[in-house]
Amino acid sequence: MTRLSAAFTKGRPALVTFVTGGDPTPGATASILDALVEGGADVIELGMPFTDPMADGPAIQLANLRSLGAGTTTADIFRIATEFRARHPEVPLVLMGYANPMTIRGADWFAAECVKAGVDGVICVDIPPEEDPELGPALRGAGVSLIRLATPTTDAARLPAVLDGSSGFLYYVSVAGITGMQQAAQTSIDEAVARIKASATIPVAVGFGVRTPEQAAAIAKVADGVVVGSALVDLVAKHGADAAGPVKELTAALAAAVHSARKGAL
């Protein structure tokens, strides 16, 4: 069993948390990641800053700009990942970002760096499965999970292509829009998760627009995992290098809600 698969086999839904690497500075990211772990997050997504984060709303767009403005490089992201793995040998770490930083030096190079840094999985937002001759095979060949995205517009005809070659978990984007701006109706999430889980053999985690423990708990009743990003990134924007405390506090509230969402359910 891998670190990533173990996160979804604890007998309860998993909390997946996202922050942007290098925000507010590369040196400050370590304490924020530690706060996520201490707060009870089961999986950590570390965003790779990019100049054109097309799937992201204002909160994460600004986080990318802060990180890049602080001089964060891909080498810094792998250093942050390597140091995280040394401090937290059992906590799954996923890199999330866009194709350019992942492929500009070659997919094989990127996959090898992931292995060296102890990265468990990769989410590449802008390479669809139909156009992935290099990154996906390189990651799979290196034993790194490629985590694909499904959306409200992923119909039954296309879902098999999304699931093919995906591992770790499937990330269901609950809204047809950008991160952090709106939340889908719970009934639509319930229906979509049920439809995807009927075909998927890997866990299904739901994200985009999840900001509060109450929202997270409702989703956790049906999904294998809940992803929260923008609400945490907002705390980094507000508190900067002192964000660890507020981040831990929100993470703990989210973790309590997600982990207990099915208690008493038959």
Side-chain angles (χ1 to χ4, degrees):
M1 183 179 294
T2 67
R3 277 187 295 253
L4 199 49
S5 61
F8 292 92
T9 56
K10 297 178 178 179
R12 53 168 172 72
L15 173 63
V16 183
T17 56
F18 170 95
V19 292
T20 299
D23 176 31
T25 66
T29 300
S31 66
I32 295 169
L33 294 177
D34 290 348
L36 295 173
V37 175
E38 292 164 8
D42 298 291
V43 179
I44 309 296
E45 291 180 3
L46 180 64
M48 300 182 67
F50 184 50
T51 53
D52 187 21
M54 64 187 73
D56 290 304
I60 297 177
Q61 288 178 21
L62 290 170
N64 277 265
L65 292 175
R66 289 192 298 269
S67 176
L68 292 170
T72 306
T73 65
T74 298
D76 288 321
I77 296 299
F78 280 120
R79 176 184 54 77
I80 291 167
T82 300
E83 293 172 355
F84 175 90
R85 178 56 61 227
R87 296 192 307 277
H88 304 287
E90 301 304 323
V91 180
L93 182 66
V94 173
L95 295 185
M96 184 170 185
Y98 295 84
N100 186 282
M102 296 183 184
T103 61
I104 192 167
R105 295 172 180 83
D108 289 334
W109 176 89
F110 182 76
E113 291 298 305
C114 286
V115 172
K116 286 197 292 184
V119 171
D120 299 284
V122 170
I123 302 169
C124 183
V125 175
D126 53 346
I127 296 183
E130 297 87 350
E131 301 176 16
D132 186 22
E134 296 178 354
L135 183 62
L139 291 170
R140 286 189 288 270
V144 178
S145 291
L146 176 65
I147 299 160
R148 293 204 187 277
L149 304 167
T151 74
T153 60
T154 304
D155 59 18
R158 186 164 184 268
L159 184 59
V162 174
L163 291 170
D164 183 36
S166 186
S167 63
F169 63 92
L170 183 75
Y171 190 144
Y172 176 65
V173 176
S174 62
V175 296
I178 54 178
T179 56
M181 295 301 291
Q182 57 185 325
Q183 186 195 16
Q186 186 62 42
T187 52
S188 70
I189 293 174
D190 294 351
E191 293 166 0
V193 170
R195 175 174 57 83
I196 293 169
K197 289 179 78 169
S199 300
T201 59
I202 55 176
V204 178
V206 176
F208 278 49
V210 186
R211 301 189 66 89
T212 68
E214 293 75 19
Q215 292 171 333
I219 294 171
K221 291 182 186 300
V222 297
D224 302 300
V226 181
V227 187
V228 180
S230 292
L232 294 161
V233 169
D234 281 341
L235 291 177
V236 178
K238 181 178 180 180
H239 298 281
D242 298 318
V247 164
K248 180 180 176 180
E249 182 178 358
L250 177 57
T251 303
L254 291 163
V258 169
H259 294 163
S260 65
R262 299 182 193 172
K263 285 185 177 177
L266 298 177

